[in-house]
Amino acid sequence: MCNKLKSNLDLKIIIRSFIIIFTVFSISSIFVYQQTTKKFRTDTTKQICLKSQLVNKDITNIFENKKIISDIIEADEDVYNYLLEVKDRNDITTNILYPKVINNFKNIIKSHDDIYTIWVANEQANFYIDAIGNSDSSDYDIYKRPWREQVAGSDEVILTDPYIEYGTSIKVISIIKTLRQDDKIIGYVGIDITLDKIFAIMENYIVGEKGMNFLINKDYEFIYSYVGENEEDIVFKNNLIESVKTLDKDCRDYKKITYKQNKYFIYHHEIDLNGWGIIQLIPENDIDQDINDFLKIMLIIFSIAAISLLIIIIMEGIMYKLRENRLKIQVRTDSLTGSINRSYFMELAKHEFCLAKKENRKFNLLMIDIDYFKSVNDNYGHHIGDVVLENMARLSVSLLGKNAIFGRVGGEEFAAIIMDIDEMEAFIAAEDLRTKISNMDINTDKGNISINVSIGLTSMKNSDIQLKEILKRADEAMYEAKKSGRNKVKIK
């Protein structure tokens, strides 16, 4: 009575302590998750804004550097006089200043590897020459160049949107300065940069393992796109632009978008230089992974604290239960195969037998013995025999199912109880078990081994008064199986 009272008291202490710790843990976890998520979102936004500013700075640096070069070229008297002196296209290459201008351009390009070419265009003679040597202006029309209207109306250095460079199929961005004599335009100086220079900047500041960067102009047209031009990508980019139009242009907020079943956060930052927009997509999983990694650490810390507290509060009760459960398992379990041992099998068998008698239920008993097991030990060693026993027991438990009672009752002898099926169904189950065991390849360090079993089957009869009568019949049926050639199922 005292033991039972102590056991109930220990259980109540454990339950109450668990409820208290679980409640505290749950509330703390919710708070920590909210604060952690907020912190990581804030930190990620700061990181994205910083990288956007770096993109802004790098692109601006390209422009500022080339602006200085364009100012130097503007101040070059050779260039200025060349544009004044060339009156028609016949004078383009014959003018005495032509080689000086071209050499000057080539020398500048040599010291700036990010410049594709430098060129001048003349308004009066309507011609174009560049440092690459392209002076064929036969089809050149300065008034149809995509940058002309934008540049002609400004005294500032202009950074153009991407366009196809004259005489090539290469897409470039130009830094263009208008040269004037008083108020009259005499020509233009242009410094071309290929888009790969801009693309390299965009790719250098991608956030996350699978992040994506985009660059758009003031009209929300893509200058740089991380995705292609198939139908799905076009729909995605249209949706992206619609989302960007509603965002602040300084990274202070974000939206979500899905691309190929992956979710992304969208951030938008406007470049001070010319109103271009930097769009950065960060995989939601990247941020969530950082959060989850942190929360895992917190979970471990909280779990250790909770377990420690629980142990301190109810140490004696837990240790008592652990010792009690450990002893029960040790007493009831066969240490080699993990199945129940003979004494516990007999205890369960008596209980099931009495229940079957009382409730008039069907009771079937199988006695299973491994054929020629001694030869396995003699030929391969006892450690191989142990492997055989483990595999055979594991397969038997799996095949017979959780409603059957299976145990090891001797060295290589096992028994099973199957309730609530008739003798023929039990025979089919036993035959299936025998066949599966025979077909099983047991992998050992001495190669694959196969075994056979002999099975004796008996069912409870109305005349059975005690369990030992059924056990005796099952044993006799099993020995009949062995005498008749082994690897068989016999019923008695």
Side-chain angles (χ1 to χ4, degrees), residues 290-303:
D290 291 338
I291 296 173
N292 291 337
D293 289 344
F294 178 79
L295 290 177
K296 284 178 184 177
I297 296 173
M298 295 302 299
L299 178 63
I300 293 172
I301 294 173
F302 273 119
S303 298

Side-chain angles (χ1 to χ4, degrees), residues 340 343-353 363 405 417:
I340 61 177
S343 61
Y344 189 47
F345 179 84
M346 292 303 178
E347 179 183 334
L348 293 177
K350 288 176 184 176
H351 176 269
E352 295 298 309
F353 172 76
F363 179 99
I405 299 172
I417 296 169

Side-chain angles (χ1 to χ4, degrees), residues 25-47:
F25 175 78
S26 299
I27 295 172
S28 301
S29 297
I30 293 171
F31 176 77
V32 170
Y33 178 80
Q34 290 175 339
Q35 295 302 311
T36 301
T37 302
K38 182 178 178 180
K39 180 181 183 303
F40 273 94
R41 292 277 190 269
T42 302
D43 289 348
T44 301
T45 300
K46 289 179 180 178
Q47 180 188 12

Side-chain angles (χ1 to χ4, degrees), residues 210-237:
K210 295 183 178 179
M212 296 187 284
N213 283 352
F214 299 83
L215 187 64
I216 57 175
N217 63 17
K218 290 184 290 187
D219 297 323
Y220 295 99
E221 298 168 339
F222 284 94
I223 297 171
Y224 169 77
S225 172
Y226 200 82
V227 301
E229 292 296 330
N230 61 45
E231 184 176 349
E232 180 184 9
D233 291 339
I234 291 172
V235 171
F236 166 70
K237 288 194 287 187

